C-alpha cells in the first residue's frame, strides 16, 4: 500500500495542488470583492416600486458586466472543475477527486499499521513519533 500511496501522490500532487488553490480562490475572491465593491441601489419601476426584490433567504447579485472583477469567479470555477481544459480536464479533475479519497483512506491505513507495528515492537508509545 505504501508504494501505491507514494507513486500516486507524485502523479496527482500537482493536480491536487491546482484544485486546492483554485477552490480556495473561488471562495475567497467573492468575499473580498463583495466587501470592496460599492452597493448598487435597486432599480425602480415607473410606479416607484423596486423592479426586483431578492427573496429573504437568497443572496442576489447582478450578472457581472464586461471588465467587472467579479467575472473572475466564473473563470476560477471553470479552472477548478477542469472545464477550461475540455473533457480531458474534467476527467483529470474527477480522477483527482477520487485520488483524494484514496489518499485519505490509504494514509490512515498506513498510519494505523505503523502505530501497531511500533506497539508490537514495544517502542515509544503515542500518537506521534519521530
Amino acid at each position: 500500500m505504501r508504494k501505491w500511496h507514494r507513486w500516486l501522490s507524485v502523479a496527482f500532487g500537482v493536480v491536487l495542488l491546482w484544485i486546492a488553490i483554485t477552490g480556495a480562490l473561488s471562495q475567497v475572491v467573492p468575499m473580498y470583492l463583495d466587501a470592496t465593491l460599492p452597493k448598487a441601489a435597486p432599480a425602480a419601476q415607473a410606479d416607484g416600486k423596486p423592479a426586483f426584490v431578492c427573496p429573504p433567504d437568497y443572496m442576489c447579485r447582478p450578472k457581472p458586466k464586461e471588465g467587472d472583477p467579479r467575472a473572475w469567479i466564473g473563470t476560477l470555477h471553470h479552472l477548478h472543475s477542469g472545464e477550461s481544459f475540455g473533457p480531458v480536464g474534467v476527467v483529470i479533475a474527477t480522477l483527482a477527486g477520487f485520488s483524494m479519497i484514496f489518499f485519505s483512506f490509504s494514509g490512515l491505513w498506513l498510519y494505523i499499521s505503523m502505530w501497531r507495528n511500533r506497539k508490537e515492537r514495544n517502542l515509544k508509545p503515542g500518537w506521534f513519533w519521530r
Side-chain angles (χ1 to χ4, degrees):
M1 178 60 70
R2 185 176 288 189
K3 179 177 77 170
W4 282 102
H5 189 90
R6 189 176 300 136
W7 281 106
L8 285 175
S9 67
V10 170
F12 281 104
V14 174
V15 177
L16 291 175
L17 184 62
W18 174 267
I19 290 174
I21 290 170
T22 57
L25 285 175
S26 69
Q27 295 299 315
V28 171
V29 168
M31 289 188 290
Y32 173 73
L33 290 177
D34 284 347
T36 59
L37 291 175
K39 305 294 182 213
Q45 293 178 345
D47 58 1
K49 294 181 182 175
F52 174 76
V53 177
C54 186
D57 294 338
Y58 291 93
M59 183 176 183
C60 299
R61 295 185 182 124
K63 185 175 180 179
K65 297 179 177 115
E66 189 67 34
D68 189 350
R70 288 180 286 183
W72 279 98
I73 298 168
T75 303
L76 285 171
H77 171 74
H78 288 292
L79 289 171
H80 178 71
S81 65
E83 295 172 31
S84 295
F85 306 108
V88 174
V90 173
V91 168
I92 290 173
T94 304
L95 288 175
F98 286 129
S99 73
M100 291 199 47
I101 296 168
F102 169 77
F103 290 139
S104 298
F105 285 112
S106 65
L108 184 62
W109 183 19
L110 289 172
Y111 179 82
I112 290 171
S113 66
M114 289 187 329
W115 186 73
R116 286 182 180 165
N117 186 19
R118 288 188 62 80
K119 189 175 177 182
E120 289 172 2
R121 294 187 301 163
N122 291 327
L123 295 174
K124 179 183 173 187
W127 291 101
F128 304 104
W129 59 85
R130 292 182 189 211

